[in-house]
Amino acid sequence: MKLTEKELEIVEIVEKNARIPLDTLAKMTALTVEEAESILKKLEETKVIVQYATIVDWRKIDGHEGVTAMIDVKVTPKRGVGFDEVAERIYRFPEVKSVYLMSGAYDLSVVIEGRSMAEVAHFVSEKLSTLDSVISTTTHFILKKYKHDGTVFDQGDQDRRIVVAP
Amino acid sequence: MTRATKTYVSETVSRLKPSGIRRFFDLAASMEGVISLGVGEPDFVTAWSVREACILSLEQGYTSYTANAGLLELRQEISSYLSRKFGLFYRPEGEVLVTVGASQALDLALRAIVNPGDEVIVVEPSFVSYGPLVALAGGVPISVRTNGADQFKLRPQQIEEVVSSRTKALILCSPNNPTGTVLNQEDLAAIARLVEKYDLLVISDEIYAELTYDEPYTSFPAVEGMRERTILVSGFSKGFAMTGWRLGFVAAPEEVLQAMLKIHQYTMMCAPTMAQYGAIEALKNGEHDVDEMRKSYRRRRNYFVQSLNDIGLHCHLPGGAFYAFPSIASTGMASEQFAERLLLEEKVAVVPGSVFGASGEGYVRCSYASSLEQLQEAIKRMKRFLSRL
């Protein structure tokens, strides 16, 4: 679908800041509040905007440390449905945060989030590996997040400029 | 003459007034928790690929002087940039000079063309250094006052009112610091006719050329007949967010450029080498970053200028740069008093319009090169301040 210049602008702004007040958004795009609201609504209805997400640094919250693992999965594709069927079986598990079909040494990349390493290990050994189509899995635990979805964690973003300059 | 009555400082320098921005800087810098709209530079850090190219040049040991005029490769890139962007052609070998910021380029331009007593027209409100640089070059700055009701556009009759047989040159700045006003093709063509009529040179400060938001940009030397009469001054500070690199450039007809080069080689030798390698990368691959920054400024401009009008500070929509220049006439205060009280009572730093010349009185310069959150907070505080008056 082709978006107008204003629609595209609104997508770009809310992608970076979903909580921007509507009147601010309207001023930034030189629209009335009603126009901006109606564009937002259209973008939501047509699923151009799929969801408003929040990136949380869980390590900062006591008792919520959690672990994230990326799992390389080799599978046997099925006639007629290729990789789609097995991908769907995998992404329906609530522990699974994302699933991608990959080119290269393995087929699916699966991102899992769990409360502990034991929980992730349990998921891989009991649920993922036991699926018929799954040939092998390689699990990588994420040790530290530096940047996620375009957002740098713990960035020192203080303004280094002098207060008044020509 | 005894030491008590003798001064070692030259008369020209003694007569120079310190920059009005300086006093304000000292006051604002001494306070905590200030939201600064007083900053004349981007809030972006230079693009990573540019910083990386500079680091690489150091790793490779490129730490010696370059040619006086700058690295030939950089001059070639500048030449092709001017051609790509503005349809101008300058020979990299004789008509392009790399300088230490656009500030040095302005100084060189004036020193290369001004004879003692020559008059140079400065369009007010203007960047703080134009007048003093004219004086340092031995010339006499002659102010032309533009006015807010006309969105601070320079009109030909305003030049006619001040031009004399001593007038040598005119300094243009579009988009303008501090008003953000952009002169379009029609405005420039009208000025060009007078430039020809009175046989003037133009120093066109186009440092903000990358930052225009509503119409395509016209570079002054691209106006018919003006290439031979223009010293085009620009640089990397604003559009490429490279203020601290101190890198600018000049493009001008060979005779003038060579005169500038003569002064440059005795004073600066050459611009910093590693910065020049960064600039090559900026021109080759920086367009996407510049586009992103421009987009961001435009959105913030729209938000900020409309909000100023909403809280009762009338402001025209500036077509370029990153400054809003609202009128504070409704408060009945002088711009310096307004800025000082706003700083002390609400901790928002803006620059009094009077530092940009007498015609800036009644206005303040607010830079919207700050985060949206800061701008929102600044508007909130300014509204509170106004409501108490």
Side-chain angles (χ1 to χ4, degrees):
Chain A
M1 107 186 243
K2 188 152 175 64
L3 298 189
T4 65
E5 204 176 303
K6 293 284 182 196
E7 288 167 346
L8 192 60
E9 191 152 23
I10 285 185
V11 171
E12 287 177 2
I13 294 170
V14 295
E15 190 189 16
K16 289 200 184 100
N17 179 5
R19 280 172 54 82
I20 191 163
L22 196 56
D23 65 327
T24 306
L25 179 67
K27 280 179 183 172
M28 286 172 87
T29 49
L31 292 167
T32 63
V33 171
E34 292 74 27
E35 285 167 337
E37 190 172 21
S38 126
I39 289 178
L40 262 186
K41 203 165 165 219
K42 178 187 161 194
L43 292 167
E44 289 163 7
E45 280 168 2
T46 52
K47 295 280 178 203
V48 170
I49 295 175
V50 184
Q51 195 180 344
Y52 297 99
T54 306
I55 297 172
V56 178
D57 191 350
W58 286 103
R59 291 171 311 161
K60 290 193 173 145
I61 305 172
D62 289 344
H64 285 82
E65 286 81 4
V67 290
T68 306
M70 301 177 80
I71 306 167
D72 308 340
V73 187
K74 279 189 187 165
V75 299
T76 317
K78 280 198 176 157
R79 186 184 292 268
V81 290
F83 293 99
D84 295 353
E85 189 188 80
V86 63
E88 187 178 337
R89 288 192 64 184
I90 293 173
Y91 71 59
R92 286 191 184 283
F93 289 109
E95 303 86 327
V96 174
K97 294 299 164 193
S98 46
V99 177
Y100 310 103
L101 180 62
M102 309 295 286
S103 67
Y106 56 95
D107 305 306
L108 296 173
S109 173
V110 178
V111 179
I112 307 283
E113 279 180 17
R115 281 192 293 269
S116 62
M117 276 173 81
E119 192 177 290
V120 172
H122 179 259
F123 174 81
V124 174
S125 61
E126 299 297 318
K127 296 180 177 167
L128 191 59
S129 316
T130 54
L131 290 174
D132 275 354
S133 315
V134 172
I135 301 166
S136 72
T137 61
T138 310
T139 304
H140 312 275
F141 284 100
I142 290 177
L143 302 180
K144 183 173 179 181
K145 278 187 191 169
Y146 294 101
K147 187 177 183 181
H148 178 78
D149 267 359
T151 302
V152 176
F153 282 55
D154 286 334
Q155 188 176 27
D157 55 356
Q158 77 276 23
D159 197 338
R160 294 190 186 88
R161 298 176 298 172
I162 53 179
V163 187
V164 177
Chain B
M1 190 180 281
T2 64
R3 179 72 187 90
T5 54
K6 182 178 166 186
T7 169
Y8 291 114
V9 177
S10 85
E11 287 169 27
T12 314
V13 175
S14 296
R15 276 198 300 268
L16 281 186
K17 276 190 283 183
S19 162
I21 286 183
R22 196 73 228 165
R23 198 184 78 81
F24 230 74
F25 167 72
D26 292 339
L27 183 60
S30 67
M31 294 171 61
E32 297 226 335
V34 171
I35 292 187
S36 180
L37 307 179
V39 187
E41 62 179 318
D43 61 333
F44 295 99
V45 175
T46 309
W48 172 243
S49 68
V50 177
R51 287 184 273 158
E52 211 277 334
C54 175
I55 295 168
L56 180 68
S57 79
L58 288 171
E59 283 176 351
Q60 292 177 330
Y62 295 147
T63 55
S64 47
Y65 294 127
T66 68
N68 291 134
L71 289 165
L72 181 59
E73 190 186 350
L74 175 56
R75 283 180 278 145
Q76 283 163 342
E77 286 299 332
I78 290 168
S79 172
S80 82
Y81 165 80
L82 292 174
S83 145
R84 186 167 76 232
K85 279 266 169 187
F86 310 121
L88 293 163
F89 180 73
Y90 287 95
R91 282 189 315 102
E93 294 81 7
E95 297 181 321
V96 177
L97 167 64
V98 178
T99 58
V100 181
S103 303
Q104 192 218 350
L106 290 166
D107 185 30
L108 290 178
L110 286 161
R111 285 204 276 162
I113 64 168
V114 169
N115 291 311
D118 279 351
E119 294 177 352
V120 176
I121 298 174
V122 174
V123 185
E124 279 190 11
S126 77
F127 177 51
V128 291
S129 78
Y130 295 156
L133 285 178
V134 172
L136 284 170
V140 181
I142 302 291
S143 294
V144 163
R145 296 182 177 197
T146 57
N147 62 73
D150 197 17
Q151 305 204 345
F152 298 101
K153 286 209 169 191
L154 172 65
R155 300 299 179 190
Q157 67 270 23
Q158 294 168 317
I159 302 176
E160 297 234 53
E161 281 163 20
V162 297
V163 78
S164 77
S165 58
R166 300 292 299 164
T167 310
K168 180 75 180 267
L170 160 70
I171 305 179
L172 280 184
C173 179
S174 166
N176 179 278
N177 174 6
T179 64
T181 297
V182 178
L183 298 172
N184 62 24
Q185 191 160 18
E186 204 181 316
D187 304 322
L188 295 175
I191 294 164
R193 283 195 286 276
L194 282 195
V195 168
E196 259 170 355
K197 181 175 166 190
Y198 293 105
D199 192 17
L200 304 179
L201 265 172
V202 171
I203 298 172
S204 185
D205 181 351
E206 304 190 1
I207 188 76
Y208 292 98
E210 281 286 356
L211 305 179
T212 61
Y213 309 116
D214 305 315
E215 0 178 25
Y217 183 71
T218 304
S219 175
F220 190 71
V223 176
E224 197 185 342
M226 288 302 106
R227 187 190 182 284
E228 295 311 307
R229 292 182 172 278
T230 307
I231 301 173
L232 165 58
V233 170
S234 191
F236 297 87
S237 294
K238 314 291 184 176
F240 295 90
M242 293 171 65
T243 50
W245 298 63
R246 305 316 303 127
L247 210 60
F249 62 85
V250 187
E254 186 150 8
E255 184 200 3
V256 177
L257 192 108
Q258 293 307 314
M260 292 172 69
L261 178 59
K262 226 191 266 184
I263 309 169
H264 177 74
Q265 74 190 4
Y266 289 130
T267 51
M268 287 294 170
M269 313 280 269
C270 67
T273 304
M274 46 292 264
Q276 293 189 51
Y277 281 101
I280 291 171
E281 169 63 23
L283 291 178
K284 271 188 173 159
N285 301 311
E287 190 144 350
H288 175 72
D289 293 293
V290 174
D291 281 345
E292 288 298 309
M293 291 190 269
R294 186 187 303 117
K295 256 192 214 173
S296 170
Y297 291 135
R298 181 167 53 85
R299 290 169 189 160
R300 287 184 267 172
R301 172 199 69 161
N302 290 346
Y303 167 75
F304 190 66
V305 172
Q306 196 181 328
S307 299
L308 284 174
N309 282 299
D310 287 350
I311 63 172
L313 292 180
H314 174 72
C315 185
H316 73 278
L317 188 69
F322 35 60
Y323 307 112
F325 202 59
S327 165
I328 51 153
S330 61
T331 67
M333 276 189 266
S335 63
E336 191 151 338
Q337 187 194 8
F338 178 93
E340 193 160 328
R341 277 190 60 186
L342 182 63
L343 178 63
L344 295 174
E345 293 174 27
E346 290 290 347
K347 296 191 172 183
V348 176
V350 298
V351 182
S354 56
V355 311
F356 305 103
S359 59
E361 186 50 84
Y363 296 84
V364 291
R365 189 190 76 174
C366 311
S367 160
Y368 51 83
S370 282
S371 71
L372 186 67
E373 293 69 32
Q374 295 254 298
L375 295 177
Q376 287 171 316
E377 178 62 24
I379 287 286
K380 204 168 96 187
R381 294 185 189 186
M382 287 165 91
K383 187 178 177 184
R384 199 162 56 201
F385 175 69
L386 291 169
S387 72
R388 278 202 306 272
L389 297 177

